């Protein structure tokens, strides 16, 4: 009997085996908002299937081909010159662009290829301004007139905030096409055949000129209700009354769950066993901190909220601010604040995150602001172009006994400032550059949590990290010699703690980047000697280079005005096959996950490298001891870091970000997961798991089979229990089976 039951159980386990399914997350957990920008010129190709749109991109022109039927972008190509006008040839097979210096370029209208860059045009007739004597725009209405009788043939209503007509095509056969813009960066295309609407679409370009941003978490309504219940429980003086209240609340939730599923046992079971429903996914995203809104501000003052999970626009609001310079999320008050360069600011209440309400509008006492830094929840440092610094406090500044030390910088120097308890500012130290030098990269140590204080070596000893918090590093470029100097300073005293230089004829006009971790910093530059190469250099800081030797203690409080022990450093350099445009370090909630260095490349892609690869203690394999090889994630030194296709998080996407874009990483409630966004001309966001998804299960996890397996174990245990008890009893009485 026992053998028969074991056989049945084995068959049950075989039938309920959970299969592992690997699903490619490309284009599922990531998204991109492709933008064109402000349309400066719109033309039509020869086949009348695509619109050729010219727009501003940085200081030059972006050429885009857009499908005339759907409005989707076919391709975009940044030109290396600024086009001020365009002329479409009569046969529509090609078009000519004119730059600021009067040079003309001939392009193929079907594919955008450059045909000739030295073409001469006797008579240049602009095609960027729609010309038609048979069209009248009046009272937000587009009226089509008969050329002979000047009588109205038809009319099309336009939006109330109509701005200008960008494109118009009208023949005598009843075919009409036009595209117009509104004052909030909306571009609407419509086409008609014999008065019957044929195609209609619009493109939203409001987020193509983002000048500031912030992130807002979607509130967890379930947690808010539970918080309210716990506060109510604390008001009861009798424990029994509090217990009765909690039972009544749980019973009410249970009745609501039954009512939601129409009291159907089948629906209730399916609800419990189904994990990939939209409602459950949404609630888990909120609980795990994956449901966030990216709030962006445009130069024209529009605020737009974008769902970070899918890129959909949640709401849009017009403000009175222009050229916003800074935004911040006042999470404790459920508010966001937005500043512009003139000193005006607006505060919006986002208690209902889908419907922001203007709560306050005012201005500060300083204008021509060029930099705003957050000091605490309600305190900000404002700096103007004429080097005026001021502390701004929401609700007024109250004297506090704690002073704050700041380290600011510009191209010509690094400055130390103390904010006193009465919020008066005093400069303490300054490092200035010579005439031929300028600061090209700067990074300060953040206030992220420290997950470990040392590195465990292969022989179980520990190399302790240098965790002094007041650190900043910067790169100085010498324009005359082509050398760069890397410095590490104490932000309180200005003391130089570490320095090194590179004389490989660095291209200072290529991007130079720097990021700071818990006890290390990494910088990148492009060198021309001995061969043109992109380089990545990592510098790690330790209290001592001898294992188990620690200078500080866990209870010791750092006093920067006393002698601070300088760090011991180890540095290593690597080659990288692509030019790096921007760098950022992945951020997680507790910084337990292995850090990843996220890189935006000049080819429009984003990839990342594990910090384990960028290890300053890596050495050639011939020099590695047995103890070195036993270290976790130890690997021999190889000078070139490969570009692994599996770590390109943009997949096949091509991003156009611009020079003022920002690459950022935001932590979630899942320690394994970080949200990475690149905000510029385009907007791109994705989820990154540097150490894998070790704290979450896939939505496709077969919960039903797991529950069935557990149920099978209970049933089997029920039948086996009397047999086991009988066997134990016979053993005690020495009865042979």
């Amino acid at each position: 009997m026992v053998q028969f039951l074991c056989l049945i159980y084995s068959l049950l386990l075989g039938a309920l085996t959970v299969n592992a399914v690997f699903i490619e997350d490309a284009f599922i957990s990531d998204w991109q908002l492709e933008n064109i920008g402000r349309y400066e010129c719109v033309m039509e190709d020869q086949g009348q299937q695509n619109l050729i749109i010219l727009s501003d991109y940085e200081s030059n022109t972006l050429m885009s081909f857009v499908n005339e039927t759907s409005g989707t972008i076919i391709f975009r190509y940044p030109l290396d010159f600024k086009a001020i006008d365009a002329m479409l040839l009569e046969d529509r097979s090609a078009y000519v662009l004119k730059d600021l210096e009067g040079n003309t370029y001939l392009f193929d209208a079907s594919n955008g290829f450059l045909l000739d860059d030295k073409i001469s045009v006797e008579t240049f007739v602009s095609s960027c301004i729609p010309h038609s004597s048979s069209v009248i725009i009046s009272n937000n209405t587009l009226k089509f007139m008969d050329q002979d009788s000047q009588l109205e043939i038809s009319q099309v209503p336009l939006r109330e905030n109509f701005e200008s007509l960008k494109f118009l095509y009208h023949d005598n056969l009843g075919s009409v096409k036009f595209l117009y813009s509104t004052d909030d960066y909306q571009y609407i295309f419509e086409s008609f055949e014999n008065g019957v609407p044929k195609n209609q679409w619009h493109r939203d370009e409001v987020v193509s000129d983002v000048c500031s941003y912030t992130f807002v978490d979607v509130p967890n309504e379930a947690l808010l209700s539970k918080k309210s219940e716990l506060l109510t429980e604390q008001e009861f003086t009798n424990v029994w009354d509090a217990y009765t209240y909690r039972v009544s609340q749980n019973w009410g939730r249970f009745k609501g769950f039954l009512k939601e599923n129409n009291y159907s046992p089948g629906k209730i079971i399916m609800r419990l066993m189904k994990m990939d429903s939209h409602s459950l996914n949404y609630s888990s995203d909120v609980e795990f901190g994956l449901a966030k809104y990216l709030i962006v501000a445009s130069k024209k003052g529009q605020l737009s909220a974008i769902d970070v999970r899918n890129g959909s626009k949640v709401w849009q609001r017009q403000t009175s601010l222009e050229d916003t310079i800074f935004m911040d999320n006042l999470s404790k008050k459920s508010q966001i604040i937005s500043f512009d360069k003139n000193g005006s600011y607006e505060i919006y209440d986002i208690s209902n995150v889908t419907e922001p309400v203007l709560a306050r509008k005012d201005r500060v006492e300083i204008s021509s602001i060029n930099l705003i830094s957050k000091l605490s929840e309600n305190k900000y440092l404002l700096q103007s172009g004429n080097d005026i610094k001021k502390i701004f406090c929401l609700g007024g500044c109250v004297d506090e006994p704690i002073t704050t030390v700041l380290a600011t910088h510009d191209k010509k120097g690094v400055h130390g400032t103390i904010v006193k308890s009465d919020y008066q500012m005093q400069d303490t130290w300054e490092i200035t550059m010579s005439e031929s030098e300028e600061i090209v990269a700067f990074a300060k140590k953040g206030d992220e949590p420290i997950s470990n204080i040392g590195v465990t070596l292969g022989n179980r000893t520990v190399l302790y990290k240098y965790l002094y918090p007041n650190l900043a590093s910067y790169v100085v470029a010498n324009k005359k010699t082509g050398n760069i100097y890397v410095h590490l300073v104490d932000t309180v005293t200005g003391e130089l703690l570490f320095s090194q230089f590179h004389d490989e004829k660095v291209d200072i006009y290529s991007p130079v980047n720097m990021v700071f971790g818990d006890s290390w910093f990494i910088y990148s530059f492009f060198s021309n000697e001995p061969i043109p190469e992109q380089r990545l250099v990592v510098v790690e800081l330790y209290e001592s280079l001898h294992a188990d030797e620690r200078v500080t203690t866990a209870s010791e409080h750092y006093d920067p005005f006393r002698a601070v022990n300088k760090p011991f450093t180890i540095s290593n350099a690597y080659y990288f096959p692509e030019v790096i445009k921007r760098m950022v370090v992945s951020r997680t909630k507790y910084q337990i996950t292995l850090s990843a260095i996220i890189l935006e490349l000049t080819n429009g892609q984003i990839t990342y490298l594990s910090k384990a690869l960028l290890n300053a203690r890596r050495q050639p394999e011939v020099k590695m001891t047995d103890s070195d090889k036993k270290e976790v994630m130890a690997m021999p030194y190889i000078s070139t870091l490969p570009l692994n296709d599996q770590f390109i998080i943009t997949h096949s996407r091509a991003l156009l970000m611009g020079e003022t874009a920002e690459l950022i990483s935001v932590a979630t409630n899942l320690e394994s997961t970080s949200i990475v966004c690149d905000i510029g001309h385009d907007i791109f966001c994705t989820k990154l798991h540097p150490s894998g998804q070790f704290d979450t299960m896939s939505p496709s996890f077969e919960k039903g089979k797991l529950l069935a397996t557990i149920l099978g174990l209970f049933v089997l245990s029920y039948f086996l229990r009397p047999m086991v008890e009988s066997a134990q009893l016979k053993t005690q009485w020495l009865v042979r089976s």
Side-chain angles (χ1 to χ4, degrees):
M1 182 64 179
V2 175
Q3 290 81 358
F4 175 74
L5 289 176
C6 290
L7 177 61
I8 295 298
Y9 179 63
S10 301
L11 293 175
L12 180 62
L13 282 180
L16 298 179
T17 302
V18 178
N19 298 318
V21 180
F22 297 92
I23 302 176
E24 178 60 48
D25 287 337
F27 308 106
I28 298 177
S29 62
D30 60 319
W31 52 267
Q32 175 189 4
L33 296 182
E34 291 184 290
N35 296 310
I36 296 176
R38 189 171 180 83
Y39 298 5
E40 300 296 334
C41 183
V42 182
M43 301 174 290
E44 192 176 40
D45 69 347
Q46 185 179 19
Q48 297 185 352
Q49 296 179 347
N50 302 318
L51 294 179
I52 306 169
I53 302 175
L54 303 179
S55 58
D56 291 337
Y57 179 67
E58 300 177 355
S59 58
N60 296 326
T61 295
L62 176 66
M63 178 175 60
S64 306
F65 275 59
V66 176
N67 187 293
E68 196 174 276
T69 303
S70 61
T72 57
I73 297 176
I74 300 174
F75 71 87
R76 299 173 298 171
Y77 180 70
L79 303 177
D80 57 0
F81 63 91
K82 170 69 175 177
I84 60 173
D85 209 344
M87 181 182 71
L88 187 64
L89 302 186
E90 291 185 4
D91 60 357
R92 298 176 178 268
S93 63
Y95 56 93
V96 179
L97 300 184
K98 181 190 293 186
D99 65 9
L100 292 169
E101 299 177 355
N103 301 318
T104 53
Y105 307 82
L106 182 66
F107 290 85
D108 192 314
S110 61
N111 51 38
F113 290 165
L114 178 64
L115 301 178
D116 193 351
D117 59 353
K118 296 180 180 180
I119 186 175
S120 60
V121 180
E122 296 181 359
T123 304
F124 191 95
V125 180
S126 177
S127 299
C128 296
I129 302 176
H131 298 283
S132 178
S133 58
S134 60
V135 172
I136 298 177
I137 300 176
S138 176
N139 297 326
N140 291 328
T141 303
L142 186 63
K143 300 178 181 179
F144 296 93
M145 315 298 291
D146 183 77
Q147 294 184 358
D148 297 330
S149 63
Q150 292 300 312
L151 296 177
E152 181 180 322
I153 301 175
S154 62
Q155 63 179 6
V156 178
L158 305 176
R159 295 194 180 186
E160 293 183 358
N161 54 348
F162 167 83
E163 184 181 52
S164 63
L165 188 65
K166 296 296 183 181
F167 169 76
L168 175 64
Y169 173 81
H170 180 41
D171 60 11
N172 297 324
L173 302 176
S175 179
V176 177
K177 306 173 186 178
F178 60 92
L179 185 146
Y180 66 93
S181 65
T182 62
D183 58 10
D184 58 350
Y185 283 123
Q186 305 293 318
Y187 292 86
I188 297 93
F189 176 86
E190 295 185 34
S191 65
F192 297 84
E193 288 289 345
N194 299 321
V196 179
K198 184 180 179 181
N199 289 320
Q200 183 177 12
W201 50 263
H202 87 281
R203 289 192 57 84
D204 184 356
E205 301 291 344
V206 71
V207 295
S208 63
D209 61 344
V210 173
C211 50
S212 187
Y213 66 90
T214 189
F215 286 87
V216 174
D217 288 322
V218 176
N220 192 333
E221 300 296 339
L223 290 180
L224 292 177
S225 62
K226 292 178 182 178
K227 179 180 178 181
S228 176
E229 292 177 8
L230 291 175
L231 292 176
T232 305
E233 285 183 16
Q234 293 178 0
E235 297 177 357
F236 289 101
T237 56
N238 188 294
V239 177
W240 177 253
D241 293 339
Y243 177 75
T244 305
Y245 173 78
R246 175 173 293 189
V247 171
S248 64
Q249 294 297 316
N250 291 337
W251 176 249
R253 274 194 290 269
F254 179 68
K255 290 192 298 183
F257 177 76
L258 296 178
K259 184 177 180 180
E260 182 182 349
N261 293 277
N262 297 324
Y263 303 96
S264 171
K267 287 186 177 181
I268 294 174
I269 294 175
M270 291 300 297
R271 177 74 179 272
L272 292 174
M273 298 180 65
K274 192 175 182 181
M275 293 189 63
D276 56 350
S277 66
H278 178 270
S279 60
L280 291 179
N281 275 343
Y282 179 78
S283 61
S284 62
D285 286 347
V286 172
E287 184 177 354
F288 294 151
L290 302 176
K292 299 178 184 291
Y293 289 162
L294 170 62
I295 314 295
V296 296
S298 67
K299 292 182 179 179
K300 276 199 170 184
Q302 287 96 347
L303 288 183
S304 303
I306 303 172
D307 194 329
V308 172
R309 295 174 303 158
N310 50 35
S312 61
K313 184 178 292 185
V314 182
W315 53 261
Q316 181 175 317
R317 184 183 180 93
Q318 180 65 44
T319 70
S320 61
L321 306 179
E322 292 188 2
D323 207 1
T324 304
I325 189 174
F326 179 80
M327 291 182 66
D328 187 33
N329 176 19
L330 308 175
S331 56
K332 294 183 179 179
K333 297 183 178 181
S334 297
Q335 294 176 336
I336 57 174
I337 185 171
S338 179
F339 293 86
D340 68 7
K341 290 186 176 181
N342 295 323
S344 299
Y345 68 90
E346 291 182 354
I347 299 177
Y348 288 88
D349 189 336
I350 54 172
S351 299
N352 183 354
V353 74
T354 59
E355 295 182 5
V357 178
L358 180 62
R360 180 180 172 186
K361 180 180 178 181
D362 206 340
R363 62 178 299 109
V364 296
E365 299 176 358
I366 183 175
S367 59
S368 302
I369 302 173
N370 60 6
L371 181 64
I372 299 179
S373 304
K374 183 175 181 179
L375 302 180
S376 62
E377 177 68 19
N378 300 315
K379 302 178 181 64
Y380 304 93
L381 171 65
L382 283 61
Q383 301 180 68
S384 67
N386 50 7
D387 202 26
I388 296 177
K389 299 178 183 179
K390 184 177 180 60
I391 301 296
F392 171 70
C393 307
L394 284 174
C397 294
V398 181
D399 293 351
E400 295 182 359
I402 300 176
T403 59
T404 303
V405 181
L406 304 175
T408 58
H409 77 287
D410 53 31
K411 289 185 178 181
K412 285 300 179 181
V414 185
H415 318 277
T417 306
I418 287 182
V419 182
K420 299 181 180 179
S421 58
D422 57 356
Y423 292 97
Q424 297 298 315
M425 305 182 66
Q426 179 181 350
D427 294 334
T428 54
W429 57 269
E430 182 179 17
I431 301 175
T432 58
M433 305 295 108
S434 65
E435 184 178 353
S436 61
E437 295 179 336
E438 69 176 28
I439 296 177
V440 293
F442 182 89
K444 287 195 298 185
K445 184 174 181 178
D447 55 357
E448 289 79 14
I450 304 298
S451 59
N452 57 74
I453 61 175
V455 178
T456 304
L457 305 180
N459 57 4
R460 302 304 180 186
T461 58
V462 177
L463 207 58
Y464 288 99
K465 298 178 180 179
Y466 187 79
L467 299 177
Y468 179 63
N470 305 311
L471 296 175
S473 57
Y474 60 95
V475 180
V476 179
N478 190 309
K479 296 181 179 180
K480 290 184 178 180
T481 63
N483 299 336
I484 62 171
Y485 301 83
V486 182
H487 302 300
L488 176 71
V489 296
D490 186 332
T491 57
V492 176
T493 63
E495 180 185 3
L496 183 64
L497 302 177
F498 168 78
S499 182
Q500 68 182 14
F501 81 101
H502 299 270
D503 58 353
E504 297 94 346
K505 297 296 180 182
V506 178
D507 184 359
I508 62 174
Y509 299 102
S510 294
V512 180
N513 303 280
M514 174 173 281
V515 293
F516 214 120
D518 59 353
S519 63
W520 48 265
F521 61 89
I522 297 173
Y523 57 95
S524 66
F525 62 91
F526 192 87
S527 63
N528 292 309
E529 289 184 359
I531 58 174
E533 284 282 358
Q534 174 70 52
R535 297 197 183 187
L536 276 167
V537 182
V538 55
V539 179
E540 295 180 353
L541 313 175
Y542 296 96
E543 291 194 0
S544 173
L545 297 183
H546 299 287
D548 291 340
E549 183 177 312
R550 190 177 184 185
V551 179
T552 62
T553 61
S555 59
E556 181 179 356
H557 177 70
Y558 287 103
D559 185 358
F561 296 103
R562 298 173 58 188
V564 174
N565 298 308
K566 291 187 177 182
F568 291 86
T569 61
I570 304 176
S571 182
N572 233 341
Y574 298 88
Y575 294 109
F576 194 71
E578 293 286 343
V579 178
I580 300 170
K581 195 172 185 179
R582 293 180 184 87
M583 284 198 309
V584 72
V585 182
S586 63
R587 303 297 182 191
T588 56
K589 189 171 184 178
Y590 301 107
Q591 289 299 111
I592 298 174
T593 302
L594 187 65
S595 296
I597 313 303
I598 307 167
L599 312 173
E600 179 190 336
L601 310 179
T602 55
N603 62 7
Q605 293 180 325
I606 300 177
T607 185
Y608 71 95
L609 297 171
S610 172
K611 177 58 180 65
L613 289 174
L614 292 166
N615 189 340
R617 295 183 300 105
R618 288 178 63 180
Q619 52 186 332
E621 188 172 7
V622 294
K623 296 183 179 180
M624 294 180 67
T625 63
D626 292 338
S627 176
D628 294 334
K629 295 178 181 180
K630 293 178 181 178
E631 185 178 335
V632 178
M633 302 188 73
M635 58 190 78
Y637 173 77
I638 300 176
S639 61
T640 301
L641 296 172
L643 182 61
N644 193 328
D645 292 342
Q646 296 181 358
F647 296 114
I648 296 179
I649 60 179
T650 48
H651 310 295
S652 61
R653 302 180 189 273
L655 307 182
L656 288 178
M657 304 311 302
E659 295 298 329
T660 59
E662 290 193 48
L663 181 64
I664 51 181
S665 176
V666 182
T668 66
N669 293 338
L670 291 175
E671 174 58 28
S672 67
T673 305
S674 174
I675 294 177
V676 177
C677 290
D678 204 350
I679 304 173
H681 186 83
D682 289 353
I683 298 180
F684 170 81
C685 286
T686 187
K687 290 184 290 186
L688 183 66
H689 314 283
S691 300
Q693 294 178 273
F694 56 82
D695 53 0
T696 183
M697 291 187 296
S698 170
S700 61
F701 179 77
E702 300 186 27
K703 184 180 179 182
K705 292 185 178 180
L706 177 62
L707 294 176
T709 303
I710 296 174
L711 179 62
L713 289 173
F714 274 110
V715 173
L716 187 62
S717 299
Y718 177 80
F719 285 104
L720 290 178
R721 181 178 179 180
M723 299 180 185
V724 173
E725 291 178 349
S726 175
Q728 291 177 346
L729 182 61
K730 290 180 180 180
T731 301
Q732 292 178 357
W733 286 95
L734 302 178
V735 176
R736 183 177 297 177
S737 300

